[in-house]
Amino acid sequence: QVQLVESGGGLVQAGGSLRLSCAASGRTFSSYAMGWFRQAPGKEREFVAAINRNGGNTYYADSVKGRFTISRDNAKNTVYLQMNSLKPEDTAVYYCAAVYGSDYARPHIYEYDYWGQGTQVTVSS
């Protein structure tokens, strides 16, 4: 089992940058593929980015490709989401998630077993 805690959210102007972090508990973080998802008010939760266990495979939603970068540091039990060129439509609560034992980046909500509590990102125009 793994527990996830996100941080790094906040208020930023359009065109700005933020880096989200997701710290995981436990000694087997490297056994989990990780993902970032987001949910805007009145909308369903959607996929943002994913990374496999060793960081060698990543996958992005088309809406963030070229602007966001997912990475991980297994020694620090942490996954990151670097967000550049932010747009007002990126405003949402951002969640990290974990799935055990996957060698591939997973883009579907139903594939994930563990979720963090979320961190708010607000992009002003």
Side-chain angles (χ1 to χ4, degrees):
Q1 192 170 0
V2 63
Q3 293 183 326
L4 306 172
V5 179
E6 302 97 334
S7 62
L11 173 65
V12 64
Q13 289 188 331
S17 298
L18 281 175
R19 188 176 81 155
L20 305 183
S21 299
C22 174
S25 65
R27 294 175 291 179
T28 60
F29 177 69
S30 60
S31 298
Y32 292 84
M34 303 296 295
W36 285 99
F37 295 79
R38 66 187 181 187
Q39 188 166 17
K43 296 188 176 181
E44 294 186 351
R45 192 170 300 190
E46 65 176 7
F47 169 73
V48 175
I51 191 166
N52 72 335
R53 295 189 294 169
N54 65 12
N57 177 234
T58 58
Y59 191 78
Y60 296 92
D62 288 343
S63 59
V64 307
K65 203 173 294 183
R67 299 188 298 123
F68 290 12
T69 302
I70 188 171
S71 62
R72 66 189 296 160
D73 185 337
N74 286 344
K76 295 183 178 180
N77 285 10
T78 302
V79 62
Y80 304 97
L81 185 68
Q82 178 67 44
M83 306 186 293
N84 299 328
S85 302
L86 282 160
K87 305 175 181 180
E89 51 263 44
D90 294 318
T91 295
V93 177
Y94 283 71
Y95 299 89
C96 71
V99 54
Y100 182 79
S102 176
D103 290 328
Y104 299 96
R106 300 290 186 180
H108 302 110
I109 290 175
Y110 63 80
E111 297 178 287
Y112 288 84
D113 302 313
Y114 304 100
W115 293 82
Q117 84 291 346
T119 185
Q120 176 71 46
V121 172
T122 303
V123 184
S124 63
S125 58

